[in-house]
Amino acid sequence: MKIKHIIKILLLSTYCIHFMSCNDSYAEEHFMANIWEDKNFNYQYYNDNVIIFDEAYQQRVIDLCSQSENRNKSIALFGGSHTCSTYSSIYRKYIEEHLNATITVYGVGGQGFATSSGNVQEQVDRAGIHDIYILWCSTNDLAANIYPGTIFDFTSVDGYNQKARNTQCGGINYCIKTIREKHPDAKILMLGSQKFFTSEIGCTWNSSKTNTLGYPYSHYIMLQAACAQQAKIPFFDTWNTLPITTVNYKPYFLSDHLHNSKTGYANIALYHLEFIATH
């Protein structure tokens, strides 16, 4: 099933995140990285890690945090290695500090929403009670050649077919349903998968490269957004929002060009902080 209508979330000059529907693909003309040129930004520091953003934006986000209804909350974080790798503590501490929150990490390296050697569904199953649950999408379903599925997998449409949990969409929908049953009043937020730079498939939206199933990375991300839209869950479009390109990516990644460096975590923390504070 091809998704003809997807959510597009663009970071505008006002730094507000807007939702709109669109009947085309994420064409390169909509890619927002061209508004992020280093000459427009100052280099700020957090725990000696460089963050590229302007000082006014940082202050706006901090001000938002001081007024956010998500202050003093317990947050559960699910996903793959981005949630728990070597330098991920930089990310967590930044968000915890500015929201006076506590983050419990359930994420496990290598796990996607339906990977067979362990997955985010299992993370959600063992999670405790929290105020906010964050699903951070990864590259792992793509890399493990898990079928992306459709937005109707493991929903009332297919009668919550257990076999449908073996797709990315089925796994996402299972996680959402389980969290809502576990804690009906909790908030659920979703962070879309970010780029990687080991090959063209990870950093070019319209790339002809695919996994062995024949699906490009962009297809998985579009379906993440569509599942979130269907469930009425706020979705952060990491691909289009983060100012990371083939030109400037190296400081933000480890030598594997896949996992975030100290600078990468410090950079992404601010954008995620704004999203969490305002949703």
Side-chain angles (χ1 to χ4, degrees), residues 110-138:
Q111 295 193 357
F113 284 103
T115 46
S116 59
S117 59
N119 52 57
V120 180
Q121 298 177 56
E122 296 171 1
Q123 296 173 25
V124 169
D125 283 341
R126 66 173 180 268
I129 300 299
H130 299 274
D131 302 304
I132 301 171
Y133 295 81
I134 298 177
L135 302 171
W136 190 347
C137 305
S138 68

Side-chain angles (χ1 to χ4, degrees), residues 4-249:
K4 295 182 179 179
H5 297 277
I6 61 174
I7 303 173
K8 300 184 73 176
I9 306 169
L10 304 178
L11 188 66
L12 304 180
S13 59
T14 57
Y15 299 100
C16 295
I17 297 174
H18 296 270
F19 292 80
M20 56 188 78
S21 71
C22 180
N23 60 5
D24 64 352
S25 67
Y26 273 142
E28 285 297 320
E29 66 189 85
H30 295 297
F31 178 53
M32 298 299 288
N34 62 343
I35 70 170
W36 301 99
E37 298 181 3
D38 286 357
K39 65 183 180 182
N40 294 328
F41 290 81
N42 298 320
Y43 287 78
Q44 305 296 324
Y45 290 82
Y46 180 75
N47 288 350
D48 297 322
N49 298 293
V50 180
I51 311 176
I52 299 179
F53 52 80
D54 71 12
E55 190 172 359
Y57 175 44
Q58 179 192 27
Q59 190 58 52
R60 279 195 293 273
V61 174
I62 292 173
D63 290 343
L64 285 170
C65 290
S66 68
Q67 304 167 37
S68 174
E69 64 181 29
N70 291 336
R71 286 186 61 79
N72 307 310
K73 301 296 184 182
S74 170
I75 299 173
L77 184 62
F78 306 99
S81 57
H82 289 320
T83 68
C84 59
S85 63
T86 304
Y87 300 120
S88 61
S89 60
I90 295 168
Y91 169 91
R92 295 195 304 274
K93 288 177 182 177
Y94 189 82
I95 294 173
E96 286 178 328
E97 176 183 329
H98 289 292
L99 283 175
N100 196 35
T102 56
I103 297 177
T104 301
V105 177
Y106 294 94
V108 178
Q111 295 193 357
F113 284 103
T115 46
S116 59
S117 59
N119 52 57
V120 180
Q121 298 177 56
E122 296 171 1
Q123 296 173 25
V124 169
D125 283 341
R126 66 173 180 268
I129 300 299
H130 299 274
D131 302 304
I132 301 171
Y133 295 81
I134 298 177
L135 302 171
W136 190 347
C137 305
S138 68
T139 64
N140 294 321
D141 288 310
L142 169 81
N145 295 298
I146 300 299
Y147 278 100
T150 79
I151 61 172
F152 304 113
D153 289 350
F154 198 74
T155 65
S156 59
V157 175
D158 69 357
Y160 298 103
N161 185 344
Q162 291 292 322
K163 292 182 179 180
R165 291 171 55 188
N166 294 326
T167 69
Q168 176 194 239
C169 289
I172 291 172
N173 292 334
Y174 175 86
C175 290
I176 294 168
K177 183 176 185 291
T178 301
I179 291 169
R180 285 176 168 167
E181 290 173 348
K182 188 190 296 271
H183 191 349
D185 297 324
K187 290 184 178 181
I188 306 174
L189 306 177
M190 189 181 295
L191 309 172
S193 294
Q194 68 182 63
K195 295 176 186 173
F196 61 93
F197 294 86
T198 58
S199 64
E200 179 191 321
I201 189 175
C203 55
T204 303
W205 189 266
N206 294 319
S207 173
S208 61
K209 304 295 184 181
T210 68
N211 61 9
T212 60
L213 298 175
Y215 293 100
Y217 190 29
S218 56
H219 189 72
Y220 286 81
I221 299 173
M222 285 191 293
L223 285 169
Q224 293 164 11
C227 286
Q229 182 185 40
Q230 175 178 250
K232 296 181 173 56
I233 289 173
F235 179 84
F236 182 83
D237 182 8
T238 309
W239 178 286
N240 281 295
T241 305
L242 260 65
I244 309 298
T245 70
T246 53
V247 175
N248 69 0
Y249 78 89

